[in-house]
Amino acid sequence: MPRITASRKQLKPDPLYGSLLAGKFINSIMHDGKRSVAQGVFYDALEIIRERVPGEEPIDVFTQAVENVKPAIEVRSKRVGGAAYQVPMQVGRTRQQSLSFRWILSAVRDKKGRPAAQKLADELVAAYNREGAAMTKRENVHRMADANKAFAHFGW
């Protein structure tokens, strides 16, 4: 019997919108295997988004927010002759998605004192409008890559 892995083959779309992206995001929110709690947070956030961004489907706002946060390029350390250089590299599709999720969720978890759904809704609407903490993180990563363009020839 093959081992169960956290792979794309196992990934189920979310029950409400049938979106694989949302399913994956709910899995990222989830702590200690409590999927129903994670789904509650996600769907409550989408309801808040429905009120905040009229005329747009909440799931589309979520998808666009994730797209906006995805980095195109990042720096990676590479050792060349005893010195470590920050080499700018292209980011693959799956890594773009996981970085995007990670930055959005860390931005949400850093905010304190309000229900998780509200914080998530805030961050998603902010990312949709190309602002907020997750977007700032992306800008910084892009800026780092730009600053280290000189080392691009070390790319492998």
Side-chain angles (χ1 to χ4, degrees):
M1 180 169 157
R3 233 173 69 206
I4 291 184
T5 58
S7 72
R8 272 213 306 291
K9 288 198 285 285
Q10 244 82 40
L11 186 61
K12 291 191 174 62
D14 80 296
L16 215 70
Y17 296 95
S19 155
L20 279 171
L21 189 70
K24 182 79 173 154
F25 192 73
I26 288 168
N27 289 350
S28 311
I29 297 173
M30 180 166 57
H31 270 309
D32 298 335
K34 299 191 170 182
R35 172 162 298 152
S36 57
V37 174
Q39 279 176 341
V41 168
F42 182 69
Y43 292 138
D44 289 352
L46 288 192
E47 281 311 308
I48 296 168
I49 290 173
R50 189 187 299 280
E51 295 160 20
R52 289 246 189 98
V53 188
E56 285 284 347
E57 274 300 308
I59 196 74
D60 297 338
V61 172
F62 162 71
T63 310
Q64 191 54 51
V66 171
E67 277 304 313
N68 289 349
V69 175
K70 283 181 181 177
I73 192 168
E74 68 177 340
V75 291
R76 291 195 134 155
S77 291
K78 176 153 204 249
R79 297 220 24 164
V80 179
Y85 295 108
Q86 298 280 47
V87 182
M89 312 250 323
Q90 291 290 316
V91 187
R93 289 236 316 279
T94 46
R95 182 157 169 79
Q96 278 186 344
Q97 185 179 302
S98 50
L99 283 174
S100 169
F101 284 0
R102 191 179 309 158
W103 294 343
I104 290 171
L105 288 174
S106 72
V108 168
R109 288 178 183 144
D110 287 346
K111 292 189 177 115
K112 292 278 178 269
R114 296 215 321 291
Q118 268 183 337
K119 297 188 292 189
L120 179 57
D122 282 353
E123 195 54 47
L124 287 175
V125 169
Y128 177 71
N129 296 324
R130 295 186 179 278
E131 45 202 34
M135 266 325 266
T136 309
K137 177 76 177 150
R138 174 185 184 270
E139 298 301 320
N140 291 344
V141 166
H142 276 208
R143 208 170 291 125
M144 282 278 285
D146 251 12
N148 289 303
K149 236 192 230 130
F151 304 126
H153 65 282
F154 288 130
W156 58 90

